[in-house]
Amino acid sequence: MKKLCVVPLAAAALVLAACSSEKPGSASPAPSAPPASSSASSSAPTSGSDTASIEPCSLVGAADLASYGTFKPPTSENAGGARLCTLNKEAATASETLSIGIGVRDTQGLDTVSDAGTGKTTGNVNGRKAILAPRPPAGCLMALELGASARVDVLVAADDAEKACGIAEKVADIVEPKLPKS
């Protein structure tokens, strides 16, 4: 099968930039809350409260995402106020395009998650406060609290926002157990 290398890094960067520092609006919440997770992780959680020691690429890898297909090696960068690790799926068609980013924000808490116009939902993942915020037309953000002024973002760019949010919820289940407990 011939593989088409589509790199939706620009889409992930747009999703990331869209949630960097705006204060939340007064839009009504989305219809469903992020699910609680009971997933276990084979990696030990990071200890301590120093978020600067959290390496975004250590929170999820290609093996964790195998059910979604084959992913290229991760790329790291600083973008939109976060340390970002991005994994892009090797896609045969544009509809199979999938980009997953994990961003650590050392100085931005859940209160800085912006509403992209379709609302945001407050909930939790495995007991950790979280916000799910669709990023139409094809993205989604799941922010996980690390403290009052820090968070980890799970950013997904897919072929539509609903699909992206479903994947973001599942990836958050993988990431959360690896985060320091507060």
Side-chain angles (χ1 to χ4, degrees):
M1 167 189 256
K2 181 179 175 186
K3 301 266 182 180
L4 173 67
C5 295
V6 178
V7 181
L9 185 57
L14 288 174
V15 170
L16 182 64
C19 64
S20 62
S21 63
E22 285 184 35
K23 293 294 179 188
S26 59
S28 58
S32 64
S37 169
S38 60
S39 297
S41 170
S42 59
S43 297
T46 306
S47 61
S49 61
D50 180 19
T51 60
S53 67
I54 300 172
E55 172 54 49
C57 287
S58 71
L59 299 175
V60 70
D64 296 315
L65 305 173
S67 65
Y68 298 107
T70 303
F71 284 78
K72 299 174 188 176
T75 59
S76 297
E77 66 178 308
N78 290 324
R83 291 177 286 115
L84 180 66
C85 178
T86 304
L87 292 105
N88 294 302
K89 179 181 173 184
E90 293 181 7
T93 67
S95 67
E96 293 178 1
T97 299
L98 178 61
S99 178
I100 297 174
I102 306 297
V104 178
R105 295 180 178 277
D106 301 309
T107 60
Q108 295 176 314
L110 290 181
D111 62 335
T112 63
V113 174
S114 64
D115 178 351
T118 57
K120 56 186 183 176
T121 303
T122 302
N124 72 73
V125 175
N126 197 24
R128 184 182 301 273
K129 290 182 183 176
I131 293 179
L132 182 69
R135 301 286 188 234
C140 192
L141 163 72
M142 171 71 83
L144 303 170
E145 184 178 66
L146 287 176
S149 61
R151 72 180 199 243
V152 169
D153 293 343
V154 175
L155 306 146
V156 178
D159 55 339
D160 69 65
E162 185 176 339
K163 178 179 177 181
C165 284
I167 294 170
E169 289 175 0
K170 291 176 183 172
V171 174
D173 288 341
I174 296 166
V175 169
E176 192 286 326
K178 299 175 185 176
L179 299 177
K181 304 299 180 202
S182 48

